[in-house]
Amino acid sequence: MVEVRTVEPRPRHWIILYAVAFFALSSEGAMGLVFPLLLIARETSAQEIGTLVALAALGPLILSIPAGQLCDRYGDRAVLLACAAGALVTMLLYPAVTGFWLLAAVQILGGTARSLSWLATQSWATRHSRMADRAHHMGFLTFAANLGMLLTPLAAGTVMDRYGVEAGFYLLAVWSLLLLLLLCVLPAFPVEPVPSRQGSVLDSRKEHQR
């Protein structure tokens, strides 16, 4: 087993992360509103709507296990930046793209970006929090994410009612842009592997035998 020693983030870093959680998960909740309404406006059949909505889970399903390895290898912040950029691009593509297969491709990419951003947010929190404070930080993280899930669909519905269905995607694109800006000020603290107690004993025995 390998433990991890990290630099302790300051309170302002945790506030930034809570804001990241707000924007990282809220777009996924609002997509349950704006995407089907876009498809209905385009007179898409119910079967195709169901298929396209389901495809958002395909990428996260495939990457469920290796996603954690991506965070370990490239860093949580790097994964978050890539996901935020992917979410921003796909939000702008949804209103512009027509045709089932093109929408399917955008939906797979967008669903993957939105889902992995939340996973990387949780990974950052657990990696950089002390065990004694972890439940505290995860509680605030979950609260911020659920607040985003509550408020974003309300905002998207209001915007779409006034400016049309496509306006909902532009609102979520702004959400992704704000997420990117927050990530620019969220530090990527160095992570240093530390041998566990068992590993240290084994290493000391090897040194003694030499």
Side-chain angles (χ1 to χ4, degrees), residues 77 81 179-187:
R77 182 173 175 271
L81 284 168
L179 177 58
L180 274 173
L181 294 176
L182 286 168
L183 292 172
C184 290
V185 295
L186 182 71

